[in-house]
Amino acid sequence: MDDAKFIDIEGVEMVFHTKKGVFHALREINLKVRKGEFITLIGHSGCGKSTLLNLIAGLTKPTEGVLLCANREIAGPAPERAVVFQNHSLLPWLTCYENIYLGVERVFGKTETAAQLRERTMRALALVGLTAAESKRPHEISGGMKQRVGIARALAMEPKVLLMDEPFGALDALTRAHLQDELLKIVAATQSTVVMVTHDVDEAVLLSDRIVMLTNGPAATIGEMVEVQLEHPRDRVALAQDARYAEYRSAVLEFLYRKQAHPAKEAA
Ligand SMILES: Nc1ncnc2c1ncn2[C@@H]1O[C@H](COP(=O)(O)OP(=O)(O)OP(=O)(O)O)[C@@H](O)[C@H]1O
């Protein structure tokens, strides 16, 4: 298998048919993601980031073009591509442990014993530092903890690809920073391939190996890409003083606020 195009998106177009007519959301999307690479998708609101992520997840099908994962066409959702949404989608009547166990059982239930499934679940809880919260229900824990359970559930399924749609968008700045740091450590340990949607330029530079910038919609496409060649492990405090960090940040800001400056339609 070719690790350089672990995820291979070729000539993807996405057109929605709505009551108001035809809406061309994405055009000519071509992207190859390396195995183990961390990609962020960034662009103005409504440009099509979630649409692209949903296509990789297999939740929707492209109007044209093809998406491959490990050489196989993405034909629908599968545990090999786990998704973490902004609003953690935990089942409220189950404990943290049970929420994770459910996913683990779905993937490994046919081949492993109950003891092995339990061990996997506990390992995932430990990975996100939530061993002590195993018996708590979602309403008993904070937003950040819920998001960690969502990430643990996704990771416990040992996905080939972790897809994240603004996973930290609803969190306060300190919790967000803490989870970003944890995610970096987890990804380093699991060697996961990650595609993450974000609005946050600092988050994109801190986490990514490559930042994929989308032009404004309709018919959005990939405008520019930045390879972030900062060594791992990354330390946010040290990076704040790093000239390269500032350069990457400027490149993204330049794209978003000069080249793709939104027409002031909200103001009209
Ligand atoms: N199922 C759908 N039917 C019709 N139009 C859709 C559908 N899904 C998305 N769109 C439109 O496609 C465009 C891209 O939407 P998408 O949610 O992918 O953007 P986004 O970049 O993720 O936005 P945000 O950053 O605000 O979450 C928007 O104009 C949206 O209204």
Side-chain angles (χ1 to χ4, degrees):
M1 195 193 57
D2 189 350
D3 282 355
K5 48 177 187 178
F6 187 62
I7 300 172
D8 192 358
I9 303 174
E10 285 177 20
V12 159
E13 305 278 328
M14 191 69 202
V15 174
F16 291 110
H17 294 271
T18 67
K19 281 185 191 146
K20 287 188 187 159
V22 171
F23 182 77
H24 197 167
L26 295 174
R27 76 176 156 93
E28 283 177 62
I29 302 286
N30 293 294
L31 178 66
K32 295 182 197 324
V33 182
R34 295 186 296 272
K35 193 162 197 278
E37 192 176 16
F38 196 128
I39 293 256
T40 47
L41 302 176
I42 198 163
H44 286 291
S45 183
C47 71
K49 303 178 292 294
S50 299
T51 301
L52 183 53
L53 199 81
N54 289 342
L55 284 165
I56 304 172
L59 296 169
T60 43
K61 288 209 168 80
T63 320
E64 267 181 57
V66 67
L67 295 102
L68 305 170
C69 179
N71 283 338
R72 277 201 314 260
E73 186 168 353
I74 296 175
E80 66 166 23
R81 284 166 278 112
V83 191
V84 179
F85 294 103
Q86 175 171 2
N87 297 318
H88 43 79
S89 43
L90 303 181
L91 298 174
W93 59 89
L94 296 182
T95 64
C96 295
Y97 175 89
E98 288 162 345
N99 262 290
I100 299 172
Y101 189 89
L102 203 65
V104 168
E105 194 180 31
R106 204 175 110 222
V107 180
F108 303 104
K110 287 207 177 91
T111 51
E112 296 190 358
T113 63
Q116 284 169 315
L117 301 181
R118 178 171 167 74
E119 197 195 313
R120 278 187 187 277
T121 308
M122 291 310 292
R123 223 177 323 143
L125 273 168
L127 200 60
V128 296
L130 283 180
T131 305
E134 68 164 303
S135 310
K136 291 207 158 67
R137 293 200 156 68
H139 73 272
E140 296 174 291
I141 59 177
S142 70
M145 288 163 87
K146 280 191 264 233
Q147 207 52 332
R148 269 146 72 186
V149 179
I151 293 169
R153 183 176 57 185
L155 288 168
M157 296 194 263
E158 291 193 357
K160 289 184 181 145
V161 182
L162 189 60
L163 302 170
M164 310 179 99
D165 198 348
E166 292 189 60
F168 311 136
L171 304 174
D172 67 89
L174 286 182
T175 309
R176 187 183 182 117
H178 177 64
L179 280 191
Q180 287 166 346
D181 292 344
E182 274 189 21
L183 181 66
L184 275 177
K185 283 189 212 143
I186 290 168
V187 167
T190 56
Q191 302 279 302
S192 309
T193 306
V194 185
V195 181
M196 175 169 164
V197 169
T198 184
H199 273 116
D200 181 331
V201 176
D202 284 295
E203 180 166 273
V205 179
L206 179 73
L207 299 179
S208 309
D209 296 313
R210 188 158 43 127
I211 304 173
V212 174
M213 294 178 265
L214 295 180
T215 61
N216 293 337
T221 192
I222 296 172
E224 287 180 25
M225 295 199 257
V226 176
E227 289 272 355
V228 182
Q229 288 168 333
L230 299 168
E231 49 287 335
H232 290 273
R234 292 182 185 167
D235 176 88
R236 68 174 62 246
V237 180
L239 281 177
Q241 313 287 333
D242 192 314
R244 294 169 304 162
Y245 182 91
E247 264 175 45
Y248 292 130
R249 199 172 180 277
S250 306
V252 181
L253 290 172
E254 172 82 20
F255 177 85
L256 289 176
Y257 300 107
R258 292 246 168 80
K259 297 176 188 164
Q260 294 295 317
H262 243 305
K265 57 182 173 204
E266 282 94 351

